[in-house]
Amino acid sequence: MPLKKTVNDSHSNWMDGAGPESDIAISSRVRVARNLADIPFPHLLNNAKAEDVIHAVRLAVEDKELARQAGVLEMSLLGELSPVERQILVDKHLISPDLINSFECKAVVLRDDEVISIMVNEEDHLRIQCLLSGLQLKEAWDLINQVDDGLEKTLDYAFSEQLGYLTACPTNVGTGMRASVMLHLPGLVLVKQLKGVLNAISKVGLTARGLFGEGTEALGDLFQISNQITLGQTEEEIISNLTAVVRQIISQEKATRAALYKDRRDFVEDRVYRAYGILKNAHILSSEEAMRLFSDLRLGIEMNLLSGIPAKLLNELMVRIRPAFLIKLAGREMSAHQRDVFRAELIRNEFKEFDC
Amino acid sequence: MPLKKTVNDSHSNWMDGAGPESDIAISSRVRVARNLADIPFPHLLNNAKAEDVIHAVRLAVEDKELARQAGVLEMSLLGELSPVERQILVDKHLISPDLINSFECKAVVLRDDEVISIMVNEEDHLRIQCLLSGLQLKEAWDLINQVDDGLEKTLDYAFSEQLGYLTACPTNVGTGMRASVMLHLPGLVLVKQLKGVLNAISKVGLTARGLFGEGTEALGDLFQISNQITLGQTEEEIISNLTAVVRQIISQEKATRAALYKDRRDFVEDRVYRAYGILKNAHILSSEEAMRLFSDLRLGIEMNLLSGIPAKLLNELMVRIRPAFLIKLAGREMSAHQRDVFRAELIRNEFKEFDC
């Protein structure tokens, strides 16, 4: 069962740190909302109808032609997983926190490499997501399109000629698409210019969120920049607008880092190496502090102030140090303090081999 | 010239970390105040008379019999040293800050191992000091006695049958002796019990000061415990009272550390290893922060939470990281920021060989 593999491994394809602009753009995500015609939206469904949706989607994803074109997709019912395992899927950004609030009659479809995931019976009947490393919105959209086209051969989507794809929440109607890029912006945070940047993007219909979506804090200087509007623009326009704005933010972050390197190198080096020293030696670490230190360290790696630590490891650790994965690793429940001690030990062990 | 050797080497005998109770008692110091009969106290001296004092002391310390019994003592005029070099003598605790406020007609006498030093024309004509590692007040007093007896064969001390040794400041009259022990008390500071301890000792005629004497802050959890009273007690009583109280403080500190080890080991380990990680990696370090980190690290060494770093090095570094020694090492004046960068580099280099 691929889901069991997924929840036992903190790695996911998007963490490779290998895509374009991956020194600043950690990952790109595109998701589309789709609903089946003639079936009420999930919040109005009884269990029997919800099971019908799952059944219909299962048939669609098991289509051999789709598998040949877009890769093998496997469906699992959320009820088959433990609460900790469900949370790990959220922490890996494969499903939304909303999906696991209640897990009855809910399912997730995963491609083996975790690049494609489909949530069934979240806010909409289907939410198809593609998650790639670096700045690859266009590539993610192409993959989504492939899967979406394949599914549409079997499934009858709720679609209006006038409005486009119909969705449970009107803010998704139209393309039903949301695209986002996770950016690491420690330079702009450091020189206190980020607020200005975020104000500016809100004026062009974009929004910035924390690491775990709406309403979450920007842990570790990570920001998800996404489109707000799904209506009145084609998917291609949304993708190309967002890509253009993200490129601009990336170049601002780069300019800031260059200025920091030139004018305040001591200061940045101190910050980076302290983070390294603490991660390598601390015996108690909260996830908030660890994320802050990862951010400083990542900045150092990207500014070539320090080498030998792969960005991929830091991406994976962001998931591995979260409570769910720690509990999975330890094989037992832990208090917050016990987790902080276990987290520090885990990080020390990972950092043992480095000598920066 | 031994003074040139002294100011080029941050090490001093008292830093060996080898004496009794040296896990908590860093060093023991005894000093006596002596004045020459029929010559006004230093603050009333003109230069000619002050030179006479220096001349008389020079003759006395060059006495062959004294050298045979108490070691070779060499006199240097403070005017022969640069301001930075004078400050280094203060930082090594060989002379007082007061002596270098004006250095005209002032001299210092040093034994090669720096265990014995004599200030000439500080507040009194002579201040004879003995500084040893660990808790060795009795041993320090014996050495002082030897030197004092030897000098008295040549010098005519101002002495009153009724009052004892006469001193410029009445608080020193009588024995003219002050004894002190430098204690490292991070445990009592951590559990906020130190204030109670200091209140208690003030009731038995003792006082606690910071690392650099009266009015200085207790940097790095280091406290100098000394006698307040010089009149009405014999030297032996002063030494034995102070030793008894210090032993009691040491046992309180030990009990606190044992309790910390038992109940809050994670917390202490975290603190100790963070200090290690920061010292090993920081690129900017103020002397205040470095002293705080040394204190945490020393606690870890003494509690066997970490090994391989000699206490002797930490004692030496306390002197080496001070502005004067840094400037001496760099061979140039530096801004406060440049010193912080240089200090961090110096500490990183020292810590390179450790892998705790």
Side-chain angles (χ1 to χ4, degrees), chain A residues 266-270 273-274 276-278 280-286 289 293 337 341 344 355-356, chain B residues 266-270 273-274 276-278 280-286 289 293 337 341 344 355-356:
Chain A
D266 289 339
F267 169 77
V268 179
E269 258 177 344
D270 184 56
Y273 276 92
R274 276 173 189 253
Y276 169 71
I278 294 172
K280 204 173 154 75
N281 290 286
H283 280 237
I284 301 174
L285 274 173
S286 68
E289 187 185 6
L293 297 171
H337 175 72
V341 170
D355 187 18
C356 297
Chain B
D266 289 340
F267 169 77
V268 179
E269 258 177 345
D270 184 56
Y273 276 92
R274 276 172 189 253
Y276 169 71
I278 294 171
K280 204 173 153 74
N281 290 286
H283 280 238
I284 300 174
L285 274 173
S286 69
E289 186 184 8
L293 297 171
H337 175 72
V341 170
D355 186 17
C356 296

Side-chain angles (χ1 to χ4, degrees), chain A residues 130-296:
Chain A
C130 178
L131 190 53
L132 290 173
S133 175
L135 180 55
Q136 301 197 69
L137 286 173
K138 175 72 174 58
E139 291 77 0
W141 166 238
D142 289 345
L143 279 170
I144 288 266
N145 228 347
Q146 227 176 17
V147 175
D148 193 33
D149 287 352
L151 291 173
E152 209 167 3
K153 281 181 192 142
T154 316
L155 298 173
D156 184 16
Y157 284 158
F159 186 81
S160 138
E161 282 299 331
Q162 196 200 338
L163 292 171
Y165 291 101
L166 301 180
T167 54
C169 175
T171 60
N172 285 312
V173 88
T175 58
M177 188 179 89
R178 201 171 296 274
S180 68
V181 182
M182 197 199 293
L183 296 177
H184 182 231
L185 304 173
L188 290 167
V189 171
L190 210 107
V191 301
K192 300 190 197 318
Q193 282 180 15
L194 188 80
K195 227 173 182 174
V197 171
L198 300 187
N199 277 340
I201 67 165
S202 72
K203 287 176 187 149
V204 293
L206 301 179
T207 186
R209 289 167 178 166
L211 183 54
F212 289 96
E214 212 163 339
T216 65
E217 239 188 308
L219 271 178
D221 304 323
L222 293 167
F223 300 86
Q224 288 190 67
I225 313 292
S226 64
N227 65 312
Q228 285 274 54
I229 297 159
T230 54
L231 195 63
Q233 287 188 311
T234 65
E235 287 87 346
E236 287 74 12
E237 282 168 345
I238 293 171
I239 295 285
S240 91
N241 284 347
L242 181 58
T243 302
V245 171
V246 162
R247 280 197 192 285
Q248 215 175 321
I249 299 175
I250 288 174
S251 69
Q252 281 177 278
E253 173 68 18
K254 281 184 177 166
T256 305
R257 291 182 187 181
L260 284 170
Y261 190 86
K262 191 169 156 284
D263 303 328
R264 299 172 72 190
R265 183 163 168 182
D266 289 339
F267 169 77
V268 179
E269 258 177 344
D270 184 56
R271 199 169 156 133
V272 166
Y273 276 92
R274 276 173 189 253
Y276 169 71
I278 294 172
L279 287 166
K280 204 173 154 75
N281 290 286
H283 280 237
I284 301 174
L285 274 173
S286 68
S287 60
E288 289 71 25
E289 187 185 6
M291 289 296 287
R292 193 171 51 69
L293 297 171
F294 289 159
S295 174
D296 289 345

Side-chain angles (χ1 to χ4, degrees), chain B residues 130-157:
Chain B
C130 177
L131 191 53
L132 290 173
S133 174
L135 179 56
Q136 300 198 69
L137 286 173
K138 175 70 174 61
E139 292 77 359
W141 166 237
D142 289 345
L143 280 171
I144 289 265
N145 228 346
Q146 228 175 15
V147 175
D148 193 33
D149 287 352
L151 291 172
E152 209 168 1
K153 281 179 194 147
T154 317
L155 298 171
D156 184 16
Y157 285 157

Side-chain angles (χ1 to χ4, degrees), chain B residues 100-350:
Chain B
I100 66 170
N101 284 344
S102 76
F103 47 87
E104 234 179 32
C105 302
K106 292 181 175 180
V108 59
V109 175
L110 267 186
R111 199 166 82 174
D112 199 42
D113 61 0
E114 304 175 12
V115 162
I116 299 287
S117 63
I118 304 171
M119 293 190 281
V120 184
N121 289 333
E122 203 239 27
E123 190 177 287
D124 297 291
H125 293 148
L126 288 94
R127 289 221 164 164
I128 311 167
Q129 170 182 284
C130 177
L131 191 53
L132 290 173
S133 174
L135 179 56
Q136 300 198 69
L137 286 173
K138 175 70 174 61
E139 292 77 359
W141 166 237
D142 289 345
L143 280 171
I144 289 265
N145 228 346
Q146 228 175 15
V147 175
D148 193 33
D149 287 352
L151 291 172
E152 209 168 1
K153 281 179 194 147
T154 317
L155 298 171
D156 184 16
Y157 285 157
F159 185 83
S160 138
E161 282 300 330
Q162 196 200 339
L163 293 171
Y165 292 101
L166 302 180
T167 54
C169 176
T171 60
N172 286 312
V173 89
T175 59
M177 188 180 89
R178 201 172 297 275
S180 68
V181 182
M182 198 199 291
L183 295 176
H184 182 230
L185 304 173
L188 290 168
V189 171
L190 211 109
V191 301
K192 300 194 199 316
Q193 282 180 15
L194 188 80
K195 229 177 182 170
V197 171
L198 300 188
N199 278 340
I201 67 164
S202 72
K203 286 175 188 150
V204 292
L206 302 178
T207 185
R209 290 168 178 165
L211 183 53
F212 289 96
E214 213 165 339
T216 65
E217 239 188 309
L219 271 178
D221 304 322
L222 292 168
F223 300 85
Q224 288 190 65
I225 313 294
S226 64
N227 66 311
Q228 285 275 52
I229 297 160
T230 54
L231 195 63
Q233 287 188 311
T234 66
E235 288 87 347
E236 286 73 14
E237 282 168 346
I238 294 171
I239 296 285
S240 92
N241 285 348
L242 180 59
T243 301
V245 171
V246 163
R247 281 198 192 285
Q248 215 176 322
I249 300 175
I250 289 174
S251 69
Q252 282 177 278
E253 172 68 20
K254 281 185 177 166
T256 306
R257 290 182 188 181
L260 284 170
Y261 190 87
K262 191 170 156 284
D263 303 328
R264 298 174 71 191
R265 183 163 169 180
D266 289 340
F267 169 77
V268 179
E269 258 177 345
D270 184 56
R271 199 168 155 135
V272 166
Y273 276 92
R274 276 172 189 253
Y276 169 71
I278 294 171
L279 287 166
K280 204 173 153 74
N281 290 286
H283 280 238
I284 300 174
L285 274 173
S286 69
S287 60
E288 288 71 25
E289 186 184 8
M291 289 296 288
R292 194 171 50 69
L293 297 171
F294 289 159
S295 174
D296 290 345
L297 194 54
R298 188 191 294 272
L299 179 66
I301 295 165
E302 288 158 4
M303 284 176 74
N304 291 317
L305 296 173
L306 167 150
S307 64
I309 302 175
K312 183 181 159 186
L313 174 68
L314 297 184
N315 290 339
E316 279 186 36
L317 281 175
M318 291 200 298
V319 172
R320 217 180 301 163
I321 64 161
R322 293 190 61 83
F325 213 92
L326 292 181
I327 291 168
K328 180 90 183 164
L329 277 175
R332 60 185 156 87
E333 282 295 326
M334 290 183 282
S335 69
H337 175 72
Q338 288 170 330
R339 286 201 306 268
D340 289 352
V341 170
F342 192 75
R343 178 181 295 114
E345 193 186 341
L346 182 152
I347 294 173
R348 282 204 311 282
N349 284 334
E350 281 295 342

